[in-house]
Amino acid sequence: MAALLEDSSRAHGHGGFMADAPALLNSPLWSHILQTLLPKFYDKVRAQEARGRSIISMFENNPVCAAFGLCSLKESGRAVVPLEWDVHVDKRLCAKWTGSDERVAEDQVLLEEILNSMLIAHGGLGALFLEAIGLPYAYNIVRATDISALGGFVFSEWMEVFCRALGLYEHAQRVEGGVGRDVSGGILSERGAESPLHSAAQPVIHFAPELATQEAVAAHERLFGTPLRVFLDLKSSLAKPALWAALVGALNARGILVHSVGHFTWPQLCLPTHQHVRGTAHPAPLAIRLAHTFGDVMHAAARGELASGHCVMFNGGSLLSSHLLPVHGPAGHAYGLLPGVLGALESLARTGIRAGIYVQEPALDRAAARILVTLANDGHLPLGFAWGATTTMTASNPSSPSATTTAAAPADGGRAAAAEASGGLGRRIGPAWLGLHWAPALTGIGWQGWLGRHWRGVVGSSEGESE
């Protein structure tokens, strides 16, 4: 029986609910909405699906998938949670922003440019590597990347497509038998020109940028009864971290409530002390220190870099142990929490450190997911589980309708997913260090275990759990 992540245990919609992609495609209504709004992207997804390959990562930060995830939560009577946005900003513009009292007017103009050009996209490994070593080229690379390959949308385009998706959904609810019909209802007006965002672009529906944001915010509040809430996963690093606080204020001015902000470079987390959205006061965003593995978290705590009141989120796969099976080995796979996990999490909680987890959904085995969901539901993760699906489970084979709704075994008996869940050692990590298949290996740092196991030397506990 599959575990269901409780509302109180869900941190935010990881990747903008990217793991809901199979469910979206299985919905006649939402599949039609996606095809209507992003026809070229839709064709690429169906082609990938026909080849039997994973499509989940193609939907990371996709505005239609984000709208689908929120509507799915609402329809199932569950609490609507913040969306995750991976964010890249143009460093050339950011370098001109001073934060000086003498240049308030000039900085405000620059801030508007920075926000309007902000990319909501994860970015590929190359761009993230350039960002990590401090080179200013990541933004341009991500902007030139197709949305099906971890590229994305500038802020106003994302808001526009999100708004249109919610509008088509609302229209379908008013039309008798809306599923399977032309749900555009005459309100869709595509611009003939290609989007400047990416060379293999989608036709973009034309709105003035300000109107797109206003309409999207209004539609979200109308449908879900709350302001649009986001978790900003900051991919860019800035020489002036104070600009992040200014950017939060600019989003507030557009009616968007920033629930939390995360960065792997913790000194970058310079945030405002309060927020005002549509005339209502809100608390400051949570500053979330991101880490790759639980080992990183425990070492940071031992060095005094984490203290009471801090929030930290890491890859939940680094909590798991699993038997290492070859790809073509026998069916079945055993998972469990690494020894000492529960005691270590309790130790963090006693010191006032709030921990949470995320995962790499395309590489997550459903049996491993059940352990992590149970861990969150049992209250061991005060910050929650950033789960990228509104359904119970995701799958490495997203073409199966049961993959996101049940814990049924995959067609290969779980062998491929088991190899992924063991840290990729059966297929990915091994040749990666020899220069082969290095991108998926490095992108999936800590995939369901292995790379984070060095933390055990810090904890020194034997407490464990297995399934």
Side-chain angles (χ1 to χ4, degrees), residues 38 40-46 48 51 54-60 62 121 142 144-153 197-198 200-202:
L38 300 172
K40 292 183 181 180
F41 173 77
Y42 177 87
D43 291 342
K44 290 179 182 180
V45 168
R46 287 301 190 187
Q48 182 86 335
R51 291 192 288 267
S54 174
I55 59 168
I56 291 175
S57 61
M58 298 175 74
F59 281 82
E60 191 157 10
N62 186 285
V142 176
T145 302
D146 188 80
I147 62 174
S148 64
L150 298 177
F153 300 78
L197 180 59
H198 36 71
Q202 322 303 323

Side-chain angles (χ1 to χ4, degrees), residues 1 14 20-21 47-48 76 93 136 140 144 170 221 248 258 262 285 303 367 392 405:
M1 183 175 179
H14 185 231
D20 268 343
Q48 182 86 335
S76 61
L93 291 174
N140 290 338
E170 285 186 290
E221 194 151 357
V248 169
V258 179
R303 292 191 299 264
T392 49
T405 56

Side-chain angles (χ1 to χ4, degrees), residues 252-308:
N252 291 166
R254 285 164 170 75
I256 298 170
L257 179 61
V258 179
H259 174 270
S260 45
V261 181
H263 206 297
F264 282 95
T265 305
W266 299 352
Q268 288 281 312
L269 292 169
C270 178
L271 302 177
T273 57
H274 60 276
Q275 301 182 82
H276 283 88
V277 178
R278 298 167 77 90
T280 302
H282 295 274
L286 289 177
I288 298 182
R289 291 154 172 81
L290 298 178
H292 289 296
T293 70
F294 194 34
D296 296 332
V297 173
M298 297 306 296
H299 280 293
R303 292 191 299 264
E305 296 171 5
L306 287 171
S308 179

Side-chain angles (χ1 to χ4, degrees), residues 435-461:
L436 301 174
H437 307 298
W438 53 277
L442 292 181
T443 302
I445 287 174
W447 267 358
Q448 319 332 324
W450 190 60
L451 289 181
R453 296 185 189 179
H454 68 284
W455 74 270
R456 285 181 291 181
V458 179
V459 180
S461 170

Side-chain angles (χ1 to χ4, degrees), residues 377-467:
N377 287 343
D378 287 348
H380 295 292
L381 299 168
L383 203 58
F385 186 174
W387 183 241
T390 57
T391 47
T392 49
M393 295 294 152
T394 61
S396 58
N397 177 14
S399 61
S400 170
S402 65
T404 60
T405 56
T406 74
D412 67 354
R415 292 186 294 274
E420 299 281 9
S422 61
L425 285 174
R427 179 169 59 180
R428 303 252 186 160
I429 296 289
W433 311 121
L434 302 177
L436 301 174
H437 307 298
W438 53 277
L442 292 181
T443 302
I445 287 174
W447 267 358
Q448 319 332 324
W450 190 60
L451 289 181
R453 296 185 189 179
H454 68 284
W455 74 270
R456 285 181 291 181
V458 179
V459 180
S461 170
S462 61
E463 181 180 11
E465 181 182 39
S466 61
E467 182 183 65

Side-chain angles (χ1 to χ4, degrees), residues 300-348:
R303 292 191 299 264
E305 296 171 5
L306 287 171
S308 179
H310 285 173
C311 298
V312 64
M313 188 166 280
F314 59 93
N315 192 317
S318 61
L319 298 174
L320 299 179
S321 65
S322 58
H323 293 298
L324 190 60
L325 295 180
V327 173
H328 300 294
H333 203 68
Y335 298 92
L337 292 176
L338 287 167
V341 161
L342 295 181
L345 289 172
E346 290 171 3
S347 175
L348 287 178

